[in-house]
Amino acid sequence: MARTKREARSAVVLGGTGFLGRRIVRHLLECGFKVRSGSRHPERAHSIFGEAAVEAVRADVTDELSLNAALARCANVVNAVSLYVEHGELTFDAIHVRAAARVARVARDVGISQLVHISGIGSDPLSNSDYISARGRGENAVREAFPGVTIIRPAVMVGPDDAFLTTVARLARLSPVYPLFGSGKTRLQPVHVEDVAEAVARVLDRRDSAPCYELGGPRVYLYRELVKTIARQSSAHTLPVPMPFVVWSVMARLAEQMPSVPLTRNQVELMRHDNVAAADFPGFEQLGIEPAAVEDVVQKLRDRETER
Ligand SMILES: NC(=O)c1ccc[n+]([C@@H]2O[C@H](COP(=O)([O-])OP(=O)(O)OC[C@H]3O[C@@H](n4cnc5c(N)ncnc54)[C@H](OP(=O)(O)O)[C@@H]3O)[C@@H](O)[C@H]2O)c1
């Protein structure tokens, strides 16, 4: 495969228009990188990045030719592609294992210097959950194809337009009772999406990164405590009540048939497991980042709402 001259401070962010990817693009620009965003719908980039100097290209991680073109002349690659619901050929295995490995292999073959692969806390090849197992097998496949890869495992990420905090705040304001996943005892360590994006930018900036970082926010909450905290801060009066996981799974199966997919089975499955950064992995501290508290993120979201 052709090895061409690559500009050291250049990066392509696959999934660069996504919730995390668009922030990675912005943080890399702030760090002085020349940035390309790769996704299947590059036309969305204009409304996201406005006049910022981002090159938007069509790239599909299931298609090797488009990957080769997307990686042209770049020295660094970030894979921030997601798949939360399986559709036809787009399975967890296809995206999180085979496509992740394809990105790593193409990156190696064309001579990319640094690859950052976004995974998630709790990824485990031996898990019974198809999603969690695919994330774990994907990490292994990526390491095999590109041994110098840096894997970033974020906890559940929060910020404007997220799938977690915004949903909790909205439902808490709408309903006098708040149905919890199970008894609400799952331990969570939500992290601000901007902090994760900054971590990725620093990994590419420093070039001496660890093989894997686990990134969680400054505090670990029981899920039910977190709901109460978000509700209180959103001036919502709601009573959290336990609801069995089996009921959630049935509801998620139905929700996955809806066009907007408000809930997925893998979200339910993920809520069965604690999602907390392991003490023996490097994290924000090693990257010199002090992560924001969830309370501050909620406050910022409220301020934005009142400004509108
Ligand atoms: N959100 C969280 O709380 C969270 C927590 C832990 C880990 N993560 C991980 O963080 C990563 C990013 O997640 P996210 O929530 O930011 O995802 P997202 O908002 O759904 O964005 C996904 C991005 O990937 C692109 N994409 C999807 N399929 C593609 C394909 N086949 N080829 C190329 N691009 C494709 C999408 O654009 P197009 O549709 O236009 O292609 C979009 O830009 C994922 O690995 C996710 O598992 C997320």
Side-chain angles (χ1 to χ4, degrees), residues 85 87 248-265 267-268:
V85 185
H87 295 289
W248 282 107
S249 298
V250 173
M251 289 196 333
R253 193 178 282 274
L254 297 173
E256 284 178 12
Q257 311 305 318
M258 295 163 67
S260 63
V261 193
L263 178 73
T264 67
R265 276 171 290 167
Q267 278 173 324
V268 175

Side-chain angles (χ1 to χ4, degrees), residues 17-20 40-41 59-61 81-82 84 118-119 135 157:
T17 53
F19 173 61
L20 172 63
R40 293 166 304 173
H41 306 95
D60 186 335
V61 291
V81 168
S82 77
Y84 295 117
I118 310 293
S119 182
R135 298 304 329 235
M157 289 187 281

Side-chain angles (χ1 to χ4, degrees), residues 3-287:
R3 284 176 178 255
T4 50
K5 191 162 167 44
R6 289 165 194 277
E7 205 174 309
R9 290 184 77 75
S10 60
V12 55
V13 181
L14 299 167
T17 53
F19 173 61
L20 172 63
R22 65 182 65 180
R23 271 108 178 167
I24 296 175
V25 166
R26 292 197 191 106
H27 283 250
L28 284 170
L29 283 175
E30 280 165 23
C31 266
F33 279 80
K34 200 168 164 184
V35 190
R36 183 178 295 151
S37 160
S39 64
R40 293 166 304 173
H41 306 95
E43 66 282 1
R44 292 181 185 154
H46 187 66
S47 63
I48 295 171
F49 301 116
E51 297 308 310
V54 178
E55 184 192 356
V57 298
R58 201 196 77 81
D60 186 335
V61 291
T62 64
D63 167 20
E64 190 150 333
L65 276 181
S66 78
L67 273 179
N68 267 307
L71 269 52
R73 296 181 309 281
C74 275
N76 302 283
V77 178
V78 179
N79 182 358
V81 168
S82 77
L83 181 77
Y84 295 117
V85 185
E86 296 183 306
H87 295 289
E89 289 182 355
L90 287 181
T91 60
F92 296 142
D93 196 73
I95 295 298
H96 293 307
V97 186
R98 282 179 275 136
R102 183 176 301 114
V103 170
R105 199 174 54 245
V106 171
R108 180 198 63 205
D109 289 350
V110 302
I112 291 293
S113 329
Q114 284 202 97
L115 169 67
V116 172
H117 173 74
I118 310 293
S119 182
I121 285 181
S123 298
D124 174 6
L126 302 176
S127 169
N128 290 330
S129 146
D130 290 347
Y131 179 77
I132 298 171
S133 143
R135 298 304 329 235
R137 286 181 290 115
E139 287 187 3
N140 290 344
V142 167
R143 267 191 219 101
E144 197 173 312
F146 197 109
V149 63
T150 299
I151 291 175
I152 300 275
R153 294 182 183 154
V156 59
M157 289 187 281
V158 294
D161 311 319
D162 67 1
F164 183 79
L165 196 153
T166 320
T167 316
V168 174
R170 194 177 301 135
L171 185 57
R173 279 198 291 253
L174 282 176
S175 169
V177 290
Y178 190 101
L180 294 171
F181 287 103
S183 58
K185 288 187 186 152
T186 307
R187 292 164 69 242
L188 301 173
Q189 193 178 5
V191 60
H192 191 196
V193 61
E194 298 288 348
D195 292 331
V196 176
E198 177 60 18
V200 173
R202 290 198 189 186
V203 162
L204 292 188
D205 200 29
R206 289 162 46 138
R207 313 180 64 88
D208 63 344
S209 51
C212 185
Y213 292 86
E214 292 210 344
L215 303 177
R219 201 181 136 191
V220 176
Y221 301 80
L222 287 184
Y223 167 56
R224 64 172 178 232
E225 274 175 21
L226 184 59
V227 168
K228 282 186 198 164
T229 303
I230 298 170
R232 194 169 48 243
Q233 274 214 281
S234 310
S235 308
H237 303 284
T238 191
L239 179 68
V241 289
M243 189 159 111
F245 275 103
V246 57
V247 178
W248 282 107
S249 298
V250 173
M251 289 196 333
R253 193 178 282 274
L254 297 173
E256 284 178 12
Q257 311 305 318
M258 295 163 67
S260 63
V261 193
L263 178 73
T264 67
R265 276 171 290 167
N266 83 65
Q267 278 173 324
V268 175
E269 192 53 43
L270 285 169
M271 288 303 294
R272 285 177 181 269
H273 305 273
D274 289 346
N275 193 260
V276 173
D280 50 353
F281 275 99
F284 283 121
E285 197 186 331
Q286 286 73 12
L287 292 166

